[in-house]
Amino acid sequence: MGRFDGRVAIVSGAGQGIGAGIAARLASEGAAVGVLDLNADAASSSAEAITLAGGTAVGIGADVTSEEGVNAAVDQVVRELGGLDIVVNNAGITRDNMLFKMSVEDFDLVLAVHLRGTFLLTKAAQRHLVEQRYGRIVNLSSRSALGNRGQANYASAKAGVIAFTATAALELGPFGITVNAVAPGYIATDMTAATARRLGMDPEEHQKLAAEQIPVRRVGTPDDIAAVVAFFASEEAGYVSGQTLHVNGGQR
Ligand code: NAD
């Protein structure tokens, strides 16, 4: 018996990194998973890996900033996997730069993927969740929401995700739907590797330096985040809503 037997999930940005880890974790505990990613090939490979491991998944190429794309993706999941219970808003990008050099396009794009994307997927999904009076929504924020040099766009978007989470929890709670956020610290993925390279460092060297500043003395993995998302997505977390949990190895 898995915690998610009979449940259907959709995870955005699940073609790689944290999203792929979340999709695999939910599937390993019984959920059928819609693996959504802008990169359709990555979405397919991620879904295939789940299927090969004995789970159920479908890969979907979609852009979370497109209302049409997101609506079609949700419809596909409901049609092909038989419903929708769990939504994980994980898709994300960075376009880091110091404020004075940051282009308007890079500001808008980062806000669009994280914030508009979270809004659109939540809005498309809530129709089904409200109707069945059950749902679990988990959004990816970040430690950067507290402010981070070179990330005026990303930090603003991730702070917005926290406010969106709190508001959606108020509105959707009466329908049996919880909405929570996870705010990861340093998790070793392509995203942090790109940050390392931008700073002229080798990703492994960057991770080593970061680990020295983290109380548990290591950087995080997608599995560290997937475990927390799985808790928020579980039935037993039904009295937890509107929360943001920082998962960062104990950093203040
Ligand atoms: P990643 O770059 O490895 O993966 C992000 C995925 O999102 C990619 O597969 C990408 O194709 C997809 N994506 C990007 N734009 C999209 C769009 N418009 N529509 C659909 N999919 C899109 O990043 P990651 O490190 O796995 O990050 C996952 C989430 O966790 C992001 O929201 C990120 O901001 C957040 N986060 C990451 C860290 C970290 O240290 N890695 C820390 C805090 C928060």
Side-chain angles (χ1 to χ4, degrees), residues 13 16-18 36-38 62-64 90-93 113-114 140-142 154 158 184-187 189-192:
Q16 64 175 45
I18 295 171
L36 184 158
D37 205 285
L38 183 62
D63 180 348
V64 293
N90 165 85
I93 57 165
V113 175
H114 292 276
L140 269 289
S141 179
S142 168
Y154 184 81
K158 291 307 203 185
Y186 192 120
I187 310 298
T189 66
D190 279 7
M191 189 176 270
T192 40

Short mmCIF file of all heavy atoms in Angstrom, two decimals, residues 13 16-18 36-38 62-64 90-93 113-114 140-142 154 158 184-187 189-192, ligand 1:
data_model
loop_
_atom_site.label_atom_id
_atom_site.label_comp_id
_atom_site.label_asym_id
_atom_site.label_seq_id
_atom_site.Cartn_x
_atom_site.Cartn_y
_atom_site.Cartn_z
N GLY A 13 7.55 21.27 -14.55
CA GLY A 13 9.01 21.31 -14.55
C GLY A 13 9.61 20.00 -14.09
O GLY A 13 10.67 19.97 -13.46
N GLN A 16 13.40 17.32 -15.24
CA GLN A 16 14.72 17.13 -14.62
C GLN A 16 14.70 17.70 -13.20
O GLN A 16 13.69 18.24 -12.75
CB GLN A 16 15.80 17.85 -15.44
CG GLN A 16 15.62 19.37 -15.46
CD GLN A 16 16.76 20.08 -16.19
OE1 GLN A 16 17.17 19.66 -17.27
NE2 GLN A 16 17.26 21.16 -15.59
N GLY A 17 15.83 17.57 -12.53
CA GLY A 17 16.05 18.24 -11.25
C GLY A 17 15.03 17.89 -10.17
O GLY A 17 14.60 16.74 -10.02
N ILE A 18 14.64 18.90 -9.40
CA ILE A 18 13.75 18.70 -8.26
C ILE A 18 12.40 18.15 -8.71
O ILE A 18 11.85 17.24 -8.08
CB ILE A 18 13.57 20.03 -7.49
CG1 ILE A 18 14.91 20.47 -6.87
CG2 ILE A 18 12.50 19.91 -6.41
CD1 ILE A 18 14.90 21.87 -6.26
N LEU A 36 4.88 17.31 -16.48
CA LEU A 36 4.79 18.45 -17.41
C LEU A 36 6.13 19.17 -17.48
O LEU A 36 6.75 19.42 -16.45
CB LEU A 36 3.70 19.39 -16.88
CG LEU A 36 3.29 20.62 -17.69
CD1 LEU A 36 1.89 21.07 -17.29
CD2 LEU A 36 4.27 21.78 -17.52
N ASP A 37 6.55 19.49 -18.68
CA ASP A 37 7.77 20.30 -18.82
C ASP A 37 7.75 21.04 -20.15
O ASP A 37 7.17 20.57 -21.13
CB ASP A 37 9.03 19.43 -18.74
CG ASP A 37 10.25 20.22 -18.28
OD1 ASP A 37 10.80 21.00 -19.08
OD2 ASP A 37 10.64 20.09 -17.10
N LEU A 38 8.40 22.20 -20.16
CA LEU A 38 8.55 22.97 -21.39
C LEU A 38 9.31 22.14 -22.42
O LEU A 38 9.03 22.19 -23.62
CB LEU A 38 9.34 24.26 -21.07
CG LEU A 38 9.57 25.25 -22.19
CD1 LEU A 38 8.26 25.80 -22.71
CD2 LEU A 38 10.46 26.40 -21.71
N ALA A 62 4.53 21.29 -22.22
CA ALA A 62 3.68 22.48 -22.10
C ALA A 62 4.47 23.60 -21.42
O ALA A 62 5.39 23.35 -20.65
CB ALA A 62 2.43 22.16 -21.28
N ASP A 63 4.05 24.82 -21.74
CA ASP A 63 4.68 26.01 -21.15
C ASP A 63 3.74 26.54 -20.07
O ASP A 63 2.59 26.89 -20.37
CB ASP A 63 4.87 27.06 -22.26
CG ASP A 63 5.51 28.35 -21.76
OD1 ASP A 63 5.61 28.53 -20.53
OD2 ASP A 63 5.90 29.15 -22.62
N VAL A 64 4.22 26.61 -18.83
CA VAL A 64 3.31 27.02 -17.74
C VAL A 64 2.87 28.49 -17.84
O VAL A 64 1.94 28.89 -17.16
CB VAL A 64 3.91 26.78 -16.33
CG1 VAL A 64 4.06 25.30 -16.04
CG2 VAL A 64 5.22 27.53 -16.13
N ASN A 90 6.28 23.50 -9.74
CA ASN A 90 7.73 23.42 -9.55
C ASN A 90 8.52 24.07 -10.69
O ASN A 90 9.69 24.41 -10.50
CB ASN A 90 8.11 21.94 -9.40
CG ASN A 90 9.59 21.70 -9.57
OD1 ASN A 90 10.36 21.83 -8.62
ND2 ASN A 90 10.03 21.37 -10.78
N ALA A 91 7.92 24.26 -11.87
CA ALA A 91 8.67 24.77 -13.02
C ALA A 91 9.34 26.09 -12.67
O ALA A 91 8.75 26.94 -12.00
CB ALA A 91 7.75 24.97 -14.21
N GLY A 92 10.58 26.24 -13.10
CA GLY A 92 11.26 27.49 -12.77
C GLY A 92 12.48 27.74 -13.63
O GLY A 92 13.02 26.82 -14.26
N ILE A 93 12.88 28.99 -13.66
CA ILE A 93 14.09 29.40 -14.39
C ILE A 93 14.78 30.49 -13.56
O ILE A 93 14.17 31.09 -12.68
CB ILE A 93 13.77 30.00 -15.79
CG1 ILE A 93 12.81 31.19 -15.65
CG2 ILE A 93 13.20 28.96 -16.72
CD1 ILE A 93 12.73 32.03 -16.91
N VAL A 113 7.22 32.76 -15.40
CA VAL A 113 7.32 31.31 -15.21
C VAL A 113 6.92 30.91 -13.78
O VAL A 113 6.10 30.02 -13.58
CB VAL A 113 8.75 30.79 -15.54
CG1 VAL A 113 8.87 29.30 -15.21
CG2 VAL A 113 9.07 31.04 -17.01
N HIS A 114 7.47 31.61 -12.80
CA HIS A 114 7.21 31.20 -11.41
C HIS A 114 5.82 31.59 -10.93
O HIS A 114 5.11 30.79 -10.32
CB HIS A 114 8.26 31.81 -10.47
CG HIS A 114 9.63 31.26 -10.69
ND1 HIS A 114 10.07 30.10 -10.12
CD2 HIS A 114 10.66 31.71 -11.45
CE1 HIS A 114 11.31 29.84 -10.50
NE2 HIS A 114 11.70 30.81 -11.31
N LEU A 140 6.62 25.56 -5.14
CA LEU A 140 8.04 25.71 -4.84
C LEU A 140 8.39 27.18 -4.72
O LEU A 140 8.31 27.93 -5.71
CB LEU A 140 8.88 25.06 -5.96
CG LEU A 140 9.27 23.58 -5.78
CD1 LEU A 140 10.31 23.42 -4.67
CD2 LEU A 140 8.09 22.70 -5.48
N SER A 141 8.74 27.58 -3.51
CA SER A 141 9.28 28.92 -3.31
C SER A 141 10.80 28.76 -3.23
O SER A 141 11.37 27.87 -3.88
CB SER A 141 8.69 29.54 -2.04
OG SER A 141 9.25 30.82 -1.82
N SER A 142 11.46 29.58 -2.45
CA SER A 142 12.91 29.48 -2.33
C SER A 142 13.39 30.31 -1.15
O SER A 142 12.73 31.28 -0.75
CB SER A 142 13.58 30.02 -3.60
OG SER A 142 14.97 30.20 -3.39
N TYR A 154 13.95 36.80 -9.46
CA TYR A 154 13.66 35.48 -8.86
C TYR A 154 13.17 35.61 -7.42
O TYR A 154 12.19 34.96 -7.01
CB TYR A 154 14.95 34.66 -8.93
CG TYR A 154 14.86 33.23 -8.46
CD1 TYR A 154 14.37 32.23 -9.29
CD2 TYR A 154 15.30 32.87 -7.19
CE1 TYR A 154 14.32 30.90 -8.86
CE2 TYR A 154 15.26 31.55 -6.75
CZ TYR A 154 14.77 30.57 -7.60
OH TYR A 154 14.72 29.27 -7.17
N LYS A 158 9.57 34.40 -6.01
CA LYS A 158 9.45 33.38 -4.97
C LYS A 158 8.75 33.92 -3.72
O LYS A 158 8.08 33.17 -3.00
CB LYS A 158 10.83 32.81 -4.64
CG LYS A 158 11.43 31.97 -5.77
CD LYS A 158 10.47 30.88 -6.26
CE LYS A 158 11.16 29.72 -6.94
NZ LYS A 158 10.19 28.76 -7.50
N PRO A 184 13.18 25.66 -0.74
CA PRO A 184 14.48 24.99 -0.64
C PRO A 184 15.62 25.99 -0.50
O PRO A 184 15.54 27.12 -0.99
CB PRO A 184 14.60 24.25 -1.99
CG PRO A 184 13.23 24.25 -2.58
CD PRO A 184 12.57 25.49 -2.06
N GLY A 185 16.67 25.51 0.15
CA GLY A 185 17.93 26.25 0.13
C GLY A 185 18.73 25.76 -1.07
O GLY A 185 18.17 25.61 -2.16
N TYR A 186 20.00 25.44 -0.86
CA TYR A 186 20.86 25.01 -1.97
C TYR A 186 20.60 23.54 -2.28
O TYR A 186 20.89 22.66 -1.48
CB TYR A 186 22.33 25.20 -1.56
CG TYR A 186 23.33 25.07 -2.69
CD1 TYR A 186 24.16 26.13 -3.03
CD2 TYR A 186 23.44 23.89 -3.43
CE1 TYR A 186 25.10 26.02 -4.04
CE2 TYR A 186 24.35 23.78 -4.46
CZ TYR A 186 25.19 24.84 -4.75
OH TYR A 186 26.10 24.72 -5.77
N ILE A 187 20.04 23.28 -3.48
CA ILE A 187 19.80 21.91 -3.94
C ILE A 187 20.63 21.71 -5.21
O ILE A 187 20.50 22.51 -6.16
CB ILE A 187 18.31 21.67 -4.26
CG1 ILE A 187 17.39 22.13 -3.11
CG2 ILE A 187 18.06 20.20 -4.60
CD1 ILE A 187 17.59 21.42 -1.78
N THR A 189 21.36 20.91 -8.57
CA THR A 189 20.69 20.60 -9.84
C THR A 189 21.37 21.44 -10.94
O THR A 189 22.29 22.20 -10.66
CB THR A 189 19.19 21.01 -9.80
OG1 THR A 189 19.12 22.43 -9.71
CG2 THR A 189 18.43 20.37 -8.65
N ASP A 190 20.83 21.35 -12.14
CA ASP A 190 21.35 22.18 -13.24
C ASP A 190 21.24 23.67 -12.91
O ASP A 190 22.03 24.48 -13.37
CB ASP A 190 20.56 21.91 -14.52
CG ASP A 190 21.04 20.66 -15.22
OD1 ASP A 190 21.90 19.94 -14.64
OD2 ASP A 190 20.56 20.37 -16.34
N MET A 191 20.19 24.01 -12.12
CA MET A 191 19.97 25.42 -11.79
C MET A 191 21.14 25.97 -10.97
O MET A 191 21.66 27.04 -11.24
CB MET A 191 18.64 25.59 -11.03
CG MET A 191 18.22 27.03 -10.84
SD MET A 191 16.61 27.18 -10.04
CE MET A 191 15.51 27.19 -11.45
N THR A 192 21.57 25.21 -9.96
CA THR A 192 22.68 25.68 -9.13
C THR A 192 24.01 25.56 -9.88
O THR A 192 24.93 26.35 -9.67
CB THR A 192 22.73 24.93 -7.78
OG1 THR A 192 22.45 23.55 -7.99
CG2 THR A 192 21.71 25.49 -6.80
P1 NAD B 1 16.01 22.91 -13.09
O1 NAD B 1 16.47 24.04 -13.93
O2 NAD B 1 16.91 21.73 -12.93
O3 NAD B 1 14.59 22.38 -13.61
C1 NAD B 1 13.54 23.25 -13.92
C2 NAD B 1 12.61 22.60 -14.90
O4 NAD B 1 11.54 23.52 -15.19
C3 NAD B 1 13.29 22.27 -16.25
O5 NAD B 1 13.03 20.94 -16.61
C4 NAD B 1 12.66 23.27 -17.21
O6 NAD B 1 12.57 22.80 -18.55
C5 NAD B 1 11.29 23.49 -16.58
N1 NAD B 1 10.69 24.74 -17.05
C6 NAD B 1 11.30 25.95 -17.18
N2 NAD B 1 10.44 26.86 -17.69
C7 NAD B 1 9.26 26.21 -17.89
C8 NAD B 1 8.00 26.59 -18.41
N3 NAD B 1 7.79 27.85 -18.85
N4 NAD B 1 7.02 25.67 -18.49
C9 NAD B 1 7.23 24.38 -18.07
N5 NAD B 1 8.41 23.96 -17.58
C10 NAD B 1 9.42 24.86 -17.49
O7 NAD B 1 15.65 23.57 -11.68
P2 NAD B 1 15.51 22.92 -10.23
O8 NAD B 1 16.72 23.28 -9.47
O9 NAD B 1 15.08 21.51 -10.34
O10 NAD B 1 14.33 23.83 -9.65
C11 NAD B 1 12.98 23.38 -9.51
C12 NAD B 1 12.21 24.39 -8.69
O11 NAD B 1 12.80 24.53 -7.40
C13 NAD B 1 12.19 25.80 -9.29
O12 NAD B 1 10.96 26.41 -9.05
C14 NAD B 1 13.28 26.50 -8.53
O13 NAD B 1 13.10 27.89 -8.54
C15 NAD B 1 13.10 25.89 -7.15
N6 NAD B 1 14.28 26.00 -6.29
C16 NAD B 1 15.46 25.40 -6.63
C17 NAD B 1 16.55 25.53 -5.79
C18 NAD B 1 17.87 24.89 -6.08
O14 NAD B 1 18.81 25.12 -5.29
N7 NAD B 1 18.02 24.11 -7.12
C19 NAD B 1 16.44 26.30 -4.62
C20 NAD B 1 15.22 26.90 -4.32
C21 NAD B 1 14.14 26.72 -5.16
#
